Amino acid sequence: MSDTALPGPKGPAARNFFAALQLDTRLLGMIGAFIVLCLAFNVFTDGRFLTPRNIFTLTIQTVSVAIMATGMVFVIVTRHIDLSVGSVLGTVAAVMAVLQKEILPQYLELGHPTIWIISIIVGMVIGVAIGAFHGWLVGYQGIPAFIVTLGGLLVWRAMVWFITSGQTIGPLDETFVTLGGVGGTLGEFWSWVFGVLAVGAVIWLQIASRRRKASHGFPVKPMWAEVALSGITTVAILGFVSILNAYEIPARKLKRIYEANGAVLPEGLTVGYGIPFSVLILIVVAVVMTLVARRTRLGRYIFATGGNPDAAELSGINTRFLTVKVFAIMGGLCALAAVVASARLGFSTNDIGMLDELAVIAAAVIGGTALAGGIGTIYGAILGALIMQSMKSGMAMVGVDAPLQSMVVGIVLVLAVWIDIQYRKRRGD
């Protein structure tokens, strides 16, 4: 083995540093590109892009696409595609809206505390059922996923119109709306509590992982590298919480909140929004999907099938039923994204979720999911969704026309795939 095969004392210090941290260089490149993107937009917008208000808005706008992008990772990893996610979102949102405004009030009084719960449960069931049906057509009937989901895009988008009779349905249930972002947040104190608990959980997982590797005789990172990673993670989590807490509730709105509770707003009092409930939903989805991908038999089967479908089937994996499961998960995540998207708007419109399928696929691909299958990460897809939304938001703030925005997004998508191909060629994948 040559001296350059492993980083050693003779190599550059930076290379040794990152090698010791054992971080994915592609992920580091994405994070670096995202930072540069944000700094550039901040310069062109005279410092408005990186304000707490815009970061808060950017965060809640990213959630619905990011939720679906985590499911798209599984779909693409198994060498399929789903073009219907935006239409499925629209259908589920329409069903939930009609349940809340027209059907359930006939049996329960308007504003009943169970209305929003029932509507979400029904919406989730419908989303999973639609996804499973798509998976059955692909897995058991042999119809290419591109055709099935292209048909689904048209059918379910038309279904939105039939369900709502072409009308906007709303306003939605008040409790339901809190799941969308601005209407429901943890507040400053509980956001800090969540941040501290999150830091503690990350550090505990690092310690547990280190002990597990050591007990099995696997190599572990140097202690200084573990401490450095813990420090970076702590700064990132608490910094994010600090930014969201810095976005203050407008004085007029805060005054109305106090008056509604029969109190008087103290002079000079300011209160931050904190972490939105929708972001908490995304965090839970990210954790669960990561655990499924890395720690469960289902996750191993998904990546094994994507890597080599024939070998996976010969090894005893029921790839047909696996396809149904993957698309059912995708449908369930579309339903969850419908909850967040419609709650953020407070209404269900006929164009809700329109073209989201393109944003979702782009987020997964930009995040490192290989279209050839077998490779993809949940955190990469979420970062890809954040990059996509940052580009859209930044260009809108700069004043870039919508057609030019679409051109830029298309160029970035193709460029991301090209970079991914070159990166894998260099690694020999």
Side-chain angles (χ1 to χ4, degrees):
M1 184 178 293
S2 65
D3 293 338
T4 58
L6 291 174
K10 296 180 182 179
R15 183 180 177 185
N16 291 335
F17 175 77
F18 288 116
L21 292 178
Q22 298 178 18
L23 295 176
D24 183 359
T25 53
R26 194 182 190 285
L27 174 64
L28 291 175
M30 288 178 58
I31 294 174
F34 175 63
I35 293 173
V36 171
L37 183 71
C38 291
L39 292 176
F41 278 131
N42 196 53
V43 171
F44 286 116
T45 58
D46 298 323
R48 290 182 291 119
F49 187 80
L50 290 180
T51 59
R53 177 179 180 177
N54 190 60
I55 292 175
F56 182 94
T57 303
L58 181 65
T59 301
I60 62 176
Q61 288 175 340
T62 303
V63 171
S64 60
V65 169
I67 288 173
M68 292 188 289
T70 63
M72 190 62 72
V73 171
F74 283 2
V75 173
I76 296 178
V77 161
T78 52
R79 303 190 180 192
H80 296 299
I81 200 73
D82 193 339
L83 302 176
S84 67
V85 293
S87 299
V88 174
L89 182 154
T91 296
V92 174
V95 169
M96 291 189 296
V98 170
L99 280 171
Q100 292 178 37
K101 299 301 295 182
E102 298 178 8
I103 298 177
L104 292 179
Q106 297 178 15
Y107 306 97
L108 304 169
E109 61 182 15
L110 194 63
H112 194 277
T114 62
I115 285 181
W116 69 279
I117 298 175
I118 295 173
S119 66
I120 290 177
I121 292 174
V122 173
M124 293 296 297
V125 170
I126 290 175
V128 172
I130 291 174
F133 177 62
H134 289 171
W136 177 76
L137 290 174
V138 175
Y140 286 91
Q141 302 305 310
I143 307 175
F146 181 89
I147 299 301
V148 170
T149 57
L150 179 60
L153 181 152
L154 301 173
V155 170
W156 303 119
R157 179 54 60 186
M159 188 63 70
V160 176
W161 190 89
F162 284 111
I163 293 171
T164 63
S165 300
Q167 299 177 352
T168 296
I169 308 296
L172 302 179
D173 182 85
E174 291 183 1
T175 306
F176 179 86
V177 170
T178 61
L179 301 176
V182 179
T185 62
L186 286 180
E188 291 184 65
F189 174 76
W190 289 110
S191 294
W192 282 120
V193 171
F194 176 83
V196 172
L197 291 176
V199 169
V202 169
I203 294 175
W204 178 81
L205 288 173
Q206 279 187 259
I207 295 173
S209 176
R210 182 181 180 86
R211 288 177 176 174
R212 186 170 57 253
K213 288 180 180 179
S215 66
H216 290 85
F218 294 123
V220 296
K221 300 184 186 75
M223 184 56 69
W224 67 263
E226 298 281 10
V227 173
L229 280 175
S230 298
I232 294 171
T233 304
T234 299
V235 170
I237 293 174
L238 297 184
F240 178 67
V241 173
S242 177
I243 291 172
L244 296 184
N245 279 341
Y247 178 34
E248 298 177 353
I249 300 175
R252 291 182 179 179
K253 183 176 180 179
L254 192 60
K255 183 179 180 180
R256 290 196 300 269
I257 294 173
Y258 267 78
E259 291 176 348
N261 294 322
V264 178
L265 177 65
E267 186 70 25
L269 177 66
T270 58
V271 179
Y273 277 104
I275 302 175
F277 292 154
S278 59
V279 174
L280 293 179
I281 294 173
L282 174 59
I283 292 172
V284 172
V285 169
V287 171
V288 171
M289 292 292 284
T290 300
L291 290 175
V292 170
R294 294 185 175 183
R295 302 291 184 186
T296 67
R297 180 182 299 177
L298 175 61
R300 292 192 295 271
Y301 284 1
I302 287 172
F303 283 87
T305 300
N308 192 326
D310 294 333
E313 191 164 0
L314 289 173
S315 66
I317 298 175
N318 188 342
T319 56
R320 293 182 177 183
F321 189 44
L322 182 68
T323 300
V324 175
K325 291 179 183 178
V326 168
F327 276 91
I329 291 172
M330 185 73 257
L333 292 172
C334 288
L336 191 57
V339 173
V340 172
S342 58
R344 181 168 63 86
L345 296 175
F347 295 83
S348 176
T349 62
N350 288 322
D351 62 350
I352 189 171
M354 186 78 75
L355 298 181
D356 272 6
E357 51 276 346
L358 303 182
V360 171
I361 294 170
V365 172
I366 290 174
T369 304
L371 290 173
I375 299 173
T377 60
I378 302 302
Y379 58 79
I382 294 174
L383 182 56
L386 188 58
I387 291 174
M388 287 286 296
Q389 188 59 48
S390 298
M391 289 176 54
K392 292 180 181 179
S393 176
M395 287 188 290
M397 293 178 70
V398 171
V400 177
D401 293 335
L404 186 56
Q405 290 183 31
S406 300
M407 290 176 61
V408 172
V409 171
I411 292 171
V412 170
L413 176 59
V414 175
L415 183 62
V417 174
W418 179 81
I419 292 174
D420 183 66
I421 292 172
Q422 300 306 313
Y423 172 76
R424 299 190 194 287
K425 283 182 179 179
R426 291 185 60 184
R427 291 184 56 188
D429 293 348

